[in-house]
């Protein structure tokens, strides 16, 4: 059993990374995956290119470096820059594990974990589940998720023809990182399994209009973006859900990284 006199954040999100980069040493981030910021980077969610005033140094520095590199709109280009800044804070992350339970323990909470080293428990002051799909509370997740959106990057020889394929009710086409790249996003029911979502996206792509025949699918996003009814919920004193994917883009998530958002 490990005792941590701070907050355990479930979800290695851009928001939780921002907490650490902005100087919060009282948080420990745990995640079932092995990457940070997948709710933005791996969903192909766009970065806004326009200049903005940021409150935090972490957001200002990342935005400035992306601009200097000519990658102001590169949602994947931001990921390695963020990882580089987090390298010295590796001790505040525990990744590639399964969260098996969140339960009351004394005056705080216990988070039960399982990984390659075995089963362990962290006792802490508070718990924030910031995964958009709320991995620690399946019942809440089932009622809160409203839509799954899976994207693909498209090389567009005929961008206009592909843009005309846009169907606002379930299929959207938006600009990518370059003039010849578009991002195609399919909206599906929230309960759709990811393999089925990928199959339906590919099936739709194969039936694309003849004018788009020269366009090529480059990659399907590693994971979907989730739309939800509520962005925050208190399950019990000291245990909350906060949707880290609720910000306009990854830079906004870093700039608003405050535990007071949740408690």
């Amino acid at each position: 059993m490990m005792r941590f006199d701070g907050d355990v954040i479930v979800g290695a999100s851009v928001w939780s990374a921002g907490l650490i980069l902005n100087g919060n040493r009282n948080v420990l981030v745990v995640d079932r995956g092995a990457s940070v910021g997948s709710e933005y980077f791996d969903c192909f969610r766009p970065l806004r290119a326009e200049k903005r005033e940021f409150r935090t140094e972490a957001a200002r520095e990342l935005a400035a470096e992306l601009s200097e590199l000519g990658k102001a709109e590169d949602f994947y280009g931001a990921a390695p820059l963020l990882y580089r800044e987090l390298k010295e804070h590796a001790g505040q992350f525990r990744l590639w594990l399964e969260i098996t339970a969140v339960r009351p323990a004394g005056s705080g909470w216990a988070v039960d974990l399982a990984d390659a080293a075995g089963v362990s428990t962290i006792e802490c002051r508070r718990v924030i589940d910031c995964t958009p799909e709320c991995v620690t509370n399946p019942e809440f997740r089932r009622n809160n998720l409203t839509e799954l959106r899976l994207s693909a990057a498209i090389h567009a020889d005929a961008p206009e023809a592909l843009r005309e394929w846009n169907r606002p009710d379930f299929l959207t086409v938006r600009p990518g990182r370059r003039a010849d790249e578009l991002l195609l996003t399919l909206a599906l029911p929230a309960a759709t399994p990811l393999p089925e979502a990928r199959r339906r996206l590919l099936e739709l792509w194969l039936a694309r209009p003849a004018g788009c025949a020269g366009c090529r699918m480059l990659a399907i996003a590693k994971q979907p973006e989730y739309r939800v009814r509520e962005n925050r919920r208190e399950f019990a004193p000291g245990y909350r859900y906060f949707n880290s994917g609720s910000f306009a883009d990854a830079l906004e998530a870093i700039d608003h990284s405050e535990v007071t958002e949740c408690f």
Side-chain angles (χ1 to χ4, degrees):
M1 173 129 10
M2 170 186 169
R3 177 69 197 177
F4 180 67
D5 295 321
D7 301 326
V8 168
I9 312 293
V10 177
S13 65
V14 174
W15 178 79
S16 54
L19 285 172
I20 293 168
L21 291 179
N22 288 319
N24 192 321
R25 299 295 174 261
N26 293 317
V27 299
L28 178 68
V29 176
V30 300
D31 196 285
R32 68 198 315 178
S35 61
V36 177
S38 60
E39 80 285 7
Y40 287 95
F41 308 136
D42 289 347
C43 297
F44 294 176
R45 291 185 60 181
L47 277 175
R48 292 157 54 198
E50 73 271 18
K51 291 185 177 180
R52 291 170 273 171
E53 294 294 327
F54 293 107
R55 303 180 303 172
T56 63
E57 184 177 354
R60 285 194 297 270
E61 289 183 352
L62 181 56
E65 188 165 7
L66 284 167
S67 181
E68 289 170 8
L69 293 170
K71 294 182 176 292
E73 296 180 84
D74 192 339
F75 48 82
Y76 258 145
L81 300 182
L82 180 63
Y83 297 164
R84 182 196 63 200
E85 297 304 311
L86 291 172
K87 187 175 180 180
E88 64 182 280
H89 305 291
Q92 287 185 256
F93 289 86
R94 284 189 61 184
L95 306 178
W96 208 242
L97 49 77
E98 191 62 55
I99 299 103
T100 58
V102 173
R103 53 189 174 80
S107 59
W109 290 86
V111 181
D112 295 330
L113 310 170
D115 60 15
V119 176
S120 61
T121 298
I122 302 172
E123 286 195 354
C124 60
R125 182 179 56 161
R126 302 183 297 195
V127 176
I128 304 169
D129 186 331
C130 74
T131 60
E133 67 274 34
C134 193
V135 299
T136 65
N137 193 324
E139 182 177 356
F140 173 73
R141 176 175 68 236
R142 282 191 293 271
N143 293 323
N144 197 45
L145 295 182
T146 61
E147 189 176 80
L148 174 154
R149 298 171 65 86
L150 186 62
S151 296
I154 307 297
H155 175 77
D157 289 332
E160 290 307 319
L162 194 60
R163 288 192 187 98
E164 290 175 3
W165 195 29
N166 191 58
R167 304 175 193 178
D169 54 336
F170 75 100
L171 181 70
T172 57
V173 180
R174 54 187 168 87
R177 296 162 292 179
R178 303 178 305 274
D180 62 353
E181 182 181 77
L182 293 172
L183 296 172
L184 180 71
T185 302
L186 177 63
L188 293 164
T192 308
L194 186 53
E196 172 65 10
R198 291 193 181 107
R199 187 193 67 77
R200 292 177 65 175
L201 180 60
L202 286 169
E203 189 176 71
L204 185 68
W205 177 246
L206 291 173
R208 65 191 180 277
C212 306
C215 299
R216 301 190 303 278
M217 182 178 286
L218 302 174
I220 295 177
K222 292 180 182 178
Q223 72 174 51
E225 174 189 355
Y226 291 101
R227 298 295 173 90
V228 302
R229 291 187 174 86
E230 299 180 49
N231 283 318
R232 60 188 72 205
R233 169 74 75 89
E234 183 179 51
F235 301 128
Y239 174 28
R240 286 204 173 203
Y241 162 71
F242 177 72
N243 177 15
S244 62
S246 62
F247 300 97
D249 68 2
L251 291 172
E252 292 285 347
I254 292 173
D255 203 42
H256 290 82
S257 291
E258 300 172 358
V259 172
T260 53
E261 292 272 354
C262 307
F263 291 103

